[in-house]
Amino acid sequence: MSENHQLFGTEDLRGKLSEHGYKMTPQRKEILQIFVDHSDYHHMSAEDVYNILRENKSEIGLATVYRSLDLLCELGMLVHVDFGDGCARYELNSADPKVHHHHHLICLKCKKVIEFEEDLLEMLEAYIEKKSGFQILNHEVKFFGYCSDCRAESEEEIF
Amino acid sequence: MSENHQLFGTEDLRGKLSEHGYKMTPQRKEILQIFVDHSDYHHMSAEDVYNILRENKSEIGLATVYRSLDLLCELGMLVHVDFGDGCARYELNSADPKVHHHHHLICLKCKKVIEFEEDLLEMLEAYIEKKSGFQILNHEVKFFGYCSDCRAESEEEIF
DNA sequence: TTTTCTGCAAACGATTTGCATACAC
DNA sequence: GTGTATGCAAATCGTTTGCAGAAAA
C-alpha cells in the first residue's frame, strides 16, 4: 500500500453522507470500518460482512448490511465486483489507479480469486500464464459506462 | 457472418451429445435451434428462451430450459455470458476467434449491450471511446481457467 | 429394458421490500 | 419534531432439485 494513495477511511464518511443528503449512523460507520480492518481480505460479500458483524457481537441486520453496501458504493467508498459466484462482492475503493485496475484470476476449479496488479490492459494472456502459472481457458472484458445515445440524451437534459 | 467459420448447427448436436454420453431429445434440439434462428439477437436468458418456446406453442418446461442451456454450454455449443443484470445469458459459440473474443459495451443507463468485435486485447479505452462514442466509466477484465495449484493437482491425478 | 430425460412443484439462496419503531439532525 | 434509518419478517426473483412418469438407446 503506497503512502500517497490513501484508501477511504471512516473519517470521510460523515462528509460524504451529508453531501448526498444521507445521515451518519453507527451501522454505516461500522460496516465501512469492517472493510478498512479487513483491507487485506478483499472482495467481501454481504454475508461475509454480516458474519464478521456477528463475531463482533454487533446486532446489525442483514437488510441493513445490503442497504449500506449499496449506499457506500453510491458514495464511491466501495466498489462492486462480480466473480460470477452467485453473490455480489465489494472492495474498498482506492484512489490508486494501480489498485483500481487490478485483474482477477478466477479459478474454475477451486473458485480461488487471485489478484493480479498490472495496469496494462494490453498485456497478453501468454504473459499472464507464464507469470502466474494460471491456465487461461476463457476471458471476459467488460466496459461499463454510457453509450453515445445516452450521452446525447444527458446533454439534452443539461442544455 | 463469414463463410469459412460456421456456427454450430443442430446437425452437430446428436454427435456431441452421444460423445459425452447424453441422449438426443426434441427439447434439446429445439432449444439449440432457437439460438440458431435468433443468431442476430445475441445473449438470451433462460427466460427469453422460454418465452420464445411458448410463442412457438412448445410445451417445454422452464427447468428443462435451464438444464439444456447448462448442457449446451458443457458441449461447447453455447457460451455463458454475464452482464451483471441478475440473470445468466447465453450465446451461440463460434469457431471464429474474432467473434469469440468480442467485447461487450454495457450501458449503465439503458442496459443496452453493444457488441464490439475487436480481437486485440491491447486496444486502449480511448480508442474504444473514440470509435463507438461509448463513455467508459469502469472496466472489468476476468480470466477464467485453472490456477497453478489446481493444474498441479490435475497432473497428479493423471500420472 | 435400462438409463436418462422431462415436467411439475417445491425448495433454494441472494437480495429486496413493507412496515412499525428508533434514531439523527 | 420531522424525516430518514433500522430490524424484522415476508416477498421476490432467478435458478435448482426431488420425484414420478415418459422417452431414448
Side-chain angles (χ1 to χ4, degrees):
Chain A
M1 224 83 352
S2 61
E3 298 304 320
N4 53 339
H5 287 112
Q6 296 267 62
L7 293 174
F8 292 118
T10 51
E11 323 82 49
D12 308 312
L13 183 55
R14 170 167 247 115
K16 294 224 173 191
L17 283 167
S18 66
E19 243 173 65
H20 291 251
Y22 299 117
K23 293 177 179 175
M24 178 61 154
T25 68
Q27 288 90 342
R28 288 166 180 177
K29 188 174 179 178
E30 206 172 330
I31 288 168
L32 179 57
Q33 188 60 50
I34 283 180
F35 282 88
V36 175
D37 292 346
H38 296 75
S39 62
D40 53 316
Y41 175 40
H42 289 101
H43 36 78
M44 286 186 283
S45 67
E47 202 75 35
D48 291 337
V49 172
Y50 184 66
N51 289 334
I52 293 171
L53 287 168
R54 311 219 82 215
E55 280 173 28
N56 296 357
K57 307 235 191 292
S58 184
E59 300 287 290
I60 300 177
L62 188 52
T64 300
V65 172
Y66 277 104
R67 284 185 282 228
S68 300
L69 293 175
D70 264 8
L71 184 59
L72 292 169
C73 281
E74 192 190 327
L75 299 180
M77 308 191 85
L78 296 182
V79 285
H80 174 273
V81 287
D82 178 15
F83 297 146
D85 66 344
C87 64
R89 297 184 169 276
Y90 303 85
E91 304 181 337
L92 262 187
N93 197 2
S94 167
D96 184 342
K98 266 254 178 47
V99 175
H100 188 243
H101 289 126
H102 63 256
H103 298 193
H104 292 116
L105 307 183
I106 306 163
C107 183
L108 289 176
K109 200 168 175 185
C110 68
K111 308 294 176 191
K112 185 165 50 208
V113 177
I114 302 163
E115 300 205 352
F116 197 92
E117 293 186 13
E118 183 76 54
D119 64 351
L120 298 169
L121 249 180
E122 56 263 49
M123 176 179 49
L124 294 171
E125 288 188 355
Y127 175 67
I128 301 177
E129 291 194 339
K130 197 165 189 175
K131 191 158 184 177
S132 68
F134 195 98
Q135 179 193 10
I136 297 171
L137 296 183
N138 202 2
H139 67 256
E140 196 175 300
V141 183
K142 291 189 197 176
F143 296 100
F144 296 93
Y146 296 112
C147 68
S148 47
D149 297 352
C150 289
R151 288 176 76 182
E153 205 180 302
S154 292
E155 278 179 297
E156 283 166 27
E157 284 166 8
I158 296 168
F159 303 113
Chain B
M1 228 77 352
S2 61
E3 298 305 318
N4 52 340
H5 287 111
Q6 295 267 66
L7 295 173
F8 293 118
T10 51
E11 324 80 50
D12 309 311
L13 181 57
R14 170 165 248 116
K16 294 225 171 185
L17 283 167
S18 66
E19 245 173 62
H20 290 251
Y22 300 116
K23 293 177 178 173
M24 179 61 155
T25 69
Q27 289 88 341
R28 288 165 180 177
K29 188 174 179 179
E30 206 172 329
I31 287 168
L32 178 58
Q33 189 60 50
I34 282 180
F35 281 88
V36 174
D37 291 345
H38 296 74
S39 60
D40 52 317
Y41 176 40
H42 290 102
H43 35 79
M44 284 186 284
S45 67
E47 203 76 33
D48 290 338
V49 172
Y50 183 65
N51 289 334
I52 292 171
L53 287 168
R54 310 219 82 214
E55 280 173 28
N56 297 357
K57 306 236 192 292
S58 185
E59 299 287 290
I60 301 176
L62 188 53
T64 300
V65 172
Y66 277 104
R67 284 185 284 228
S68 299
L69 293 174
D70 264 8
L71 184 58
L72 292 168
C73 281
E74 191 189 328
L75 299 180
M77 308 192 85
L78 295 182
V79 286
H80 174 273
V81 288
D82 178 15
F83 297 146
D85 65 343
C87 64
R89 297 185 168 276
Y90 303 84
E91 303 182 336
L92 263 186
N93 197 1
S94 166
D96 185 341
K98 266 254 178 52
V99 176
H100 187 244
H101 288 125
H102 64 255
H103 298 194
H104 292 116
L105 307 183
I106 306 164
C107 183
L108 289 176
K109 199 168 174 185
C110 68
K111 309 293 178 191
K112 185 166 49 208
V113 178
I114 301 162
E115 301 206 350
F116 197 93
E117 293 185 14
E118 184 74 52
D119 65 350
L120 299 168
L121 249 179
E122 56 265 47
M123 177 178 49
L124 294 170
E125 287 189 355
Y127 175 66
I128 301 177
E129 291 195 339
K130 196 164 189 178
K131 191 157 184 179
S132 67
F134 196 99
Q135 179 193 10
I136 297 171
L137 297 182
N138 202 3
H139 67 256
E140 195 175 300
V141 184
K142 291 188 193 173
F143 295 100
F144 295 94
Y146 296 113
C147 68
S148 47
D149 297 352
C150 289
R151 289 175 75 182
E153 205 181 303
S154 292
E155 278 182 299
E156 283 166 25
E157 282 166 25
I158 295 166
F159 301 114

